[in-house]
Amino acid sequence: MSLFELRGELDKRTKLILEIAGIALILLIWFVLAFFLSEERISVLDDDEIVVEIVDDTYTESDSMLVEHMDQLMIEESETLAAYGLKKERIYPILPSPVHVIKSFKELHFEDYLVVNTGKSIWLNFLGYLLAIAVSIPIGFALGLIPFFRGLFNRTFDAFRFIPLTAVTGIFIMWFGFDNQMKVAFLAFGIIVYLVPVVVQRIDEVQSVYLRTVFTLGANSWQTIKTVYWPSVLSRLFDDIRVLTAISWTYITIAELLNKSGGIGELIWLARRQSRMDKAFAVLVIIVLIGIFQDKLFFWLDKKLFPHKHMNKGKKH
């Protein structure tokens, strides 16, 4: 099979090879960009304090004799620089090197309590998502199945999607304070405004042939909801919930930046305050890894809860 066939399917071995090659290519591009965006710095150390620092051929004067010979020192080898008490290093003010990002994990773990803060964010994310699902499904079914409620509130909930969530953080602080209760409520609200219209859409997508079948069998409204709408909507909605988990990390990070009481958001704020791009990128890597794990977990649950969705896929392979 050609690798460029329209809508072609890859076998597992080829897919794995391409995935590894893609990761390697991204890392290579990252290395190259980080190097070209980096700068060389020469500094003079005196009792562990920088006396003269040069970045892009600029320096601050502290020793007239040293400044007179600075042009020569810029082209000296590292051994010669050491004789003058100088240190030559490469800095990454814009894009950190992958090596520096990996090294920063040690500091994040031992000094910034990476595991504890990550666990706190995961727990808040989980609580916010449970609350959002518990609220969105009943409201979505009411709007999708009962014309009275759809006429009253459907357009209102559609309009809620256009609310910039960062603009309502002050309102949630006034309502719930700065505690975790506020963060969970803020996260749940950010998911609800997207999830409720999706529930309504999934209800509208239920095929009429199934409805006609249960009506022919004499099913009442509750039996129709139980045997047709509920399983059909829930199986499709599970994919939507899986997609929205990625958005939830944006909201939880915003919430944690408000009072800086721990979590992934505080680690990002701390890295920004310290001008540590490597630590900021390391935290982003952690979020990506958690997202990948969550996606795999949801996919596994989807196969267990709704095996009929994966029967045809299994036959193809």
Side-chain angles (χ1 to χ4, degrees):
M1 185 202 72
S2 173
L3 293 177
F4 301 98
E5 178 184 350
L6 295 179
R7 299 200 67 179
E9 294 187 5
L10 300 173
D11 58 81
K12 292 184 178 180
R13 181 174 179 273
T14 304
K15 185 178 180 181
L16 178 61
I17 293 174
L18 290 177
E19 287 178 349
I20 295 174
I23 295 174
L25 181 60
I26 292 174
L27 288 175
L28 178 61
I29 294 174
W30 185 358
F31 266 111
V32 173
L33 285 177
F35 178 80
F36 280 105
L37 294 174
S38 64
E39 302 170 353
E40 280 194 342
R41 178 177 67 182
I42 295 180
S43 56
V44 181
L45 302 180
D46 182 15
D47 296 331
D48 296 329
E49 293 184 0
I50 296 179
V51 180
V52 176
E53 183 179 279
I54 305 172
V55 179
D56 287 339
D57 298 332
T58 61
Y59 56 85
T60 57
E61 297 187 15
S62 68
D63 191 303
S64 58
M65 293 294 293
L66 183 61
V67 172
E68 290 178 1
H69 297 85
M70 194 59 69
D71 292 336
Q72 178 183 353
L73 293 174
M74 288 292 292
I75 61 175
E76 294 282 358
E77 297 294 333
S78 58
E79 293 82 1
T80 307
L81 291 174
Y84 284 93
L86 300 175
K87 180 181 179 182
K88 187 176 182 180
E89 59 183 350
R90 183 169 293 275
I91 61 173
Y92 299 84
I94 300 176
L95 181 65
S97 167
V99 175
H100 288 77
V101 173
I102 294 174
K103 290 181 178 179
S104 68
F105 279 107
K106 181 178 180 181
E107 181 178 343
L108 281 169
H109 176 70
F110 289 104
E111 298 184 16
D112 298 322
Y113 307 103
L114 177 63
V115 175
V116 175
N117 284 298
T118 302
K120 182 175 183 178
S121 294
I122 293 175
W123 177 243
L124 292 177
N125 204 348
F126 176 73
L127 293 178
Y129 231 96
L130 281 183
L131 178 60
I133 293 172
V135 172
S136 299
I137 291 180
I139 293 177
F141 267 82
L143 296 179
L145 294 176
I146 303 176
F148 175 76
F149 292 117
R150 175 173 285 204
L152 279 177
F153 304 115
N154 190 48
R155 289 193 178 275
T156 303
F157 272 93
D158 283 339
F160 282 165
R161 292 180 296 173
F162 301 100
I163 296 177
L165 292 180
T166 53
V168 300
T169 52
I171 297 176
F172 277 86
I173 291 174
M174 288 187 289
W175 284 348
F176 301 102
F178 282 100
D179 295 333
N180 291 336
Q181 184 180 5
M182 180 275 296
K183 299 177 183 179
V184 173
F186 176 79
L187 174 60
F189 175 77
I191 298 172
I192 289 171
V193 296
Y194 288 101
L195 196 55
V196 169
V198 170
V199 175
V200 176
Q201 179 185 347
R202 294 308 186 191
I203 290 175
D204 292 338
E205 291 174 351
V206 174
Q207 298 182 21
S208 59
V209 62
Y210 300 122
L211 299 175
R212 288 196 297 265
T213 300
V214 295
F215 288 151
T216 302
L217 294 174
N220 57 31
S221 297
W222 171 247
Q223 290 172 332
T224 302
I225 294 174
K226 181 180 178 181
T227 59
V228 178
Y229 282 111
W230 180 256
S232 177
V233 170
L234 200 62
S235 64
R236 294 169 179 263
L237 190 64
F238 204 83
D239 293 328
D240 301 314
I241 293 174
R242 175 184 169 190
V243 172
L244 283 174
T245 53
I247 302 177
S248 66
W249 279 101
T250 302
Y251 301 150
I252 195 64
T253 301
I254 294 174
E256 289 174 340
L257 283 171
L258 296 176
N259 65 342
K260 306 176 186 63
S261 61
I264 291 289
E266 182 175 0
L267 292 183
I268 294 176
W269 174 84
L270 184 62
R272 182 183 64 182
R273 185 180 180 185
Q274 297 173 343
S275 298
R276 292 288 302 276
M277 293 290 292
D278 54 339
K279 291 173 66 173
F281 270 74
V283 175
L284 294 180
V285 170
I286 291 294
I287 295 176
V288 170
L289 293 177
I290 294 173
I292 293 174
F293 175 78
Q294 283 183 330
D295 192 69
K296 297 294 184 182
L297 178 61
F298 269 92
F299 185 75
W300 179 80
L301 289 173
D302 191 45
K303 292 178 67 176
K304 295 297 181 181
L305 296 174
F306 312 104
H308 63 278
K309 293 168 57 178
H310 304 271
M311 292 176 62
N312 293 332
K313 295 179 182 180
K315 291 178 180 180
K316 288 181 181 180
H317 299 293

